[in-house]
Amino acid sequence: MLTIVARSIIIYLIVLLVFRLMGKRQIGQMQPFELVLTLIIADLATIPMAEVSVPVLHGIIPLLTLSILHFIITLLTKKSVTFSRIVSGKPVIIINPKGLDYKAMKQLNLTIDDILAALRNCGYFSIAEVQYAIMETSGKVSVMPKAEYTPATNGALGLKEDDSLIPITLVSEGKIIQANMKLAGMDEEKIKNITQQNGAKKIKDVLVLTMDKTGSAYIQLMEGEGKSISCEVIPA
């Protein structure tokens, strides 16, 4: 029993040292190669802790080897932009002044819901509020809002929050979201009319359509630029 305790303490201290050398990034801030190393280290550390038959040195050597490998990769990514892009990738613009970049979405395997969730995490509830959105190499999304949507606190302006202004997704990648129609005060025929009036022959031609309860909407076709429009809502 004392042997297992002693081995656990030794491995714990080694792992702690390795992670200290790797820096203080959170999981969500790690580059892909750092996350891979973290997962491998976590798996390696458990083997010499539980398996008494495995020499402690056989657990320590791989851990130290990985920490050296991490140091070398980090050094190379700082020295070479090309190597950095190979290992970590590069930031990708997913929203520009024309709207959503559908090619970038497919490249990153992102859905409309993924992007809307990322925007909400950044404090923006509509694509129409965003000038640029960039998917960073860590998987985080950075947002630059349009000038008129630069953040200001409600307290400073003396305003109350109004949930009627939160956009509801009605069409996502060519499909009508049935569950959201009633929330937005819309029906399927009305949605089809809106999309047709804005250049879509079929619902499948629409990349995204969002609308709040006041009728303020945002639409973008699969091929084309996004734009803000105003619609009539069906009274509840």
Side-chain angles (χ1 to χ4, degrees):
M1 181 63 71
L2 290 177
T3 301
I4 294 177
V5 172
R7 291 164 68 93
S8 299
I9 292 173
I10 292 171
I11 296 299
Y12 169 77
L13 293 176
I14 296 296
V15 172
L16 180 61
L17 174 63
V18 169
F19 279 111
R20 289 289 291 160
L21 292 174
M22 288 178 63
K24 295 185 177 181
R25 294 191 188 190
Q26 298 177 359
I27 293 295
Q29 298 173 323
M30 288 183 174
Q31 298 296 332
F33 75 92
E34 293 176 317
L35 183 57
V36 170
L37 283 173
T38 300
L39 295 174
I40 294 174
I41 287 172
D43 191 45
L44 283 174
T46 59
I47 298 173
M49 279 186 182
E51 296 292 337
V52 182
S53 59
V54 178
V56 176
L57 196 60
H58 288 190
I60 295 175
I61 291 176
L63 293 175
L64 294 179
T65 301
L66 287 177
S67 65
I68 293 171
L69 178 61
H70 174 268
F71 175 79
I72 293 172
I73 293 176
T74 302
L75 184 62
L76 290 175
T77 55
K78 291 179 179 178
K79 296 290 184 180
S80 171
V81 175
T82 302
F83 184 80
S84 177
R85 287 183 176 180
I86 292 172
V87 174
S88 302
K90 63 179 181 179
V92 177
I93 296 174
I94 54 177
I95 298 178
N96 56 48
K98 295 181 179 180
L100 290 162
D101 189 327
Y102 192 48
K103 289 183 180 179
M105 286 176 57
K106 291 194 290 184
Q107 175 190 337
L108 297 171
N109 197 27
L110 292 173
T111 65
I112 296 294
D113 287 341
D114 292 332
I115 293 176
L116 292 176
L119 294 182
R120 288 194 294 270
N121 284 335
C122 294
Y124 301 96
F125 285 77
S126 173
I127 299 170
E129 300 173 2
V130 178
Q131 183 81 355
Y132 285 99
I134 300 172
M135 177 66 73
E136 306 292 355
T137 56
S138 64
K140 294 287 186 179
V141 172
S142 300
V143 174
M144 185 180 83
K146 293 180 179 178
E148 60 268 36
Y149 296 106
T150 300
T153 62
N154 287 337
L157 299 176
L159 301 176
K160 293 183 179 180
E161 293 185 2
D162 187 352
D163 61 3
S164 67
L165 299 179
I166 298 176
I168 299 166
T169 304
L170 297 175
V171 180
S172 175
E173 298 183 71
K175 296 179 182 178
I176 294 177
I177 310 301
Q178 300 287 341
N180 289 347
M181 289 193 302
K182 187 176 180 181
L183 291 174
M186 300 292 288
D187 58 25
E188 192 167 326
E189 184 177 348
K190 183 71 173 178
I191 293 173
K192 289 180 179 178
N193 288 337
I194 293 171
T195 58
Q196 289 171 359
Q197 290 169 8
N198 288 277
K201 294 181 180 179
K202 300 178 181 178
I203 290 294
K204 289 182 179 180
D205 297 331
V206 182
L207 177 58
V208 62
L209 171 63
T210 65
M211 188 175 72
D212 61 33
K213 293 179 182 179
T214 67
S216 180
Y218 178 88
I219 187 170
Q220 183 174 342
L221 306 186
M222 293 290 186
E223 301 292 337
E225 300 182 6
K227 59 181 179 180
S228 297
I229 58 175
S230 183
C231 307
E232 269 187 55
V233 296
I234 300 173

